[in-house]
Amino acid sequence: RLGAINLAAIDEYAAQSQRKAYLDEQNADLVQALETLENAIRKIDRETRQKFRETFDQVNASLQYLFPRVFGGGSASLELTGEDLLDTGVTIIAKPPGKKHKTIPLSPVGAKAPTAIALVFAIFRLNPAPFCMLDEVDAPLDDANVARYARMVKEMSEQVQFIYISHNKIAMEMADHLLGVTMH
């Protein structure tokens, strides 16, 4: 009543059982690898958040110190635009002397350049290089701001060699060495 008996069933069962054991082992390896990757990603995210926060705080402190020196007063700070440090943006809030707090895109051109200079120097103070080349950085500045900029470059040149290109007489007067280039 059972019908024909498959005499190879025992061998087929052994082969399928061996294949299942092999696939189970492969699955366990994949699960372990996935867990290792997820742990590594969590560690990298945690360290990245910590390093970003430390760097952000240092650059913000330097900007708050340098901005009044570039402008001769006022204040500036960096603010995060989001909660998650891995996805957030950064906004610069600047208040030149006698003005309202504004974000950089809303600031007039005369305020953007010194703010950008203060930010670049703030970042540069965090991770200085042996030398720095500045090309026409002082071009959008008025004479008072050029003088403050040149004093800041002179002060920072105690630790870093600056090479700057300028057509401004005030900036040229502040240089330790002056090279002139002329064209026909």
Side-chain angles (χ1 to χ4, degrees):
R1 286 189 298 173
L2 290 175
I5 296 175
N6 183 358
L7 297 177
I10 294 174
D11 292 337
E12 288 176 9
Y13 173 78
Q16 292 302 324
S17 187
Q18 187 178 16
R19 177 157 170 73
K20 183 182 181 317
Y22 172 76
L23 291 175
D24 286 345
E25 186 179 316
Q26 292 295 312
N27 184 52
D29 285 349
L30 289 173
V31 168
Q32 183 181 4
L34 183 60
E35 186 177 315
T36 301
L37 284 173
E38 287 174 345
N39 287 338
I41 289 170
R42 279 192 291 278
K43 180 181 177 190
I44 290 169
D45 284 353
R46 184 176 58 252
E47 290 174 0
T48 301
R49 281 184 179 93
Q50 177 186 357
K51 186 70 174 169
F52 178 81
R53 175 49 81 180
E54 290 170 4
T55 303
F56 176 83
D57 291 342
Q58 289 173 344
V59 170
N60 193 20
S62 280
L63 178 66
Q64 291 173 5
Y65 169 74
L66 291 173
F67 185 86
R69 299 187 67 212
V70 172
F71 266 101
S75 63
S77 63
L78 299 175
E79 291 184 3
L80 299 174
T81 60
E83 297 295 321
D84 184 8
L85 293 179
L86 297 178
D87 294 331
T88 190
V90 177
T91 300
I92 302 172
I93 305 296
K95 183 185 178 289
K99 306 285 183 187
K100 293 182 188 178
H101 280 86
K102 290 185 179 180
T103 60
I104 289 303
L106 301 177
S107 298
V109 174
K112 288 179 183 180
T115 304
I117 291 169
L119 179 61
V120 167
F121 281 147
I123 293 169
F124 197 71
R125 286 180 68 188
L126 176 69
N127 189 13
F131 74 93
C132 177
M133 183 168 217
L134 304 170
D135 186 6
E136 295 287 344
V137 171
D138 56 357
L141 304 177
D142 61 13
D143 287 348
N145 284 328
V146 169
R148 286 190 286 271
Y149 156 77
R151 279 194 299 274
M152 187 180 313
V153 168
K154 190 149 189 92
E155 178 185 308
M156 290 180 74
S157 69
E158 293 173 8
Q159 298 163 344
V160 176
Q161 181 178 359
F162 283 93
I163 300 168
Y164 63 90
I165 299 167
S166 179
H167 291 96
N168 189 291
K169 293 175 187 170
I170 297 169
M172 286 189 249
E173 289 172 359
M174 297 291 277
D176 290 334
H177 302 282
L178 184 64
L179 298 172
V181 178
T182 60
M183 297 176 65
H184 295 291

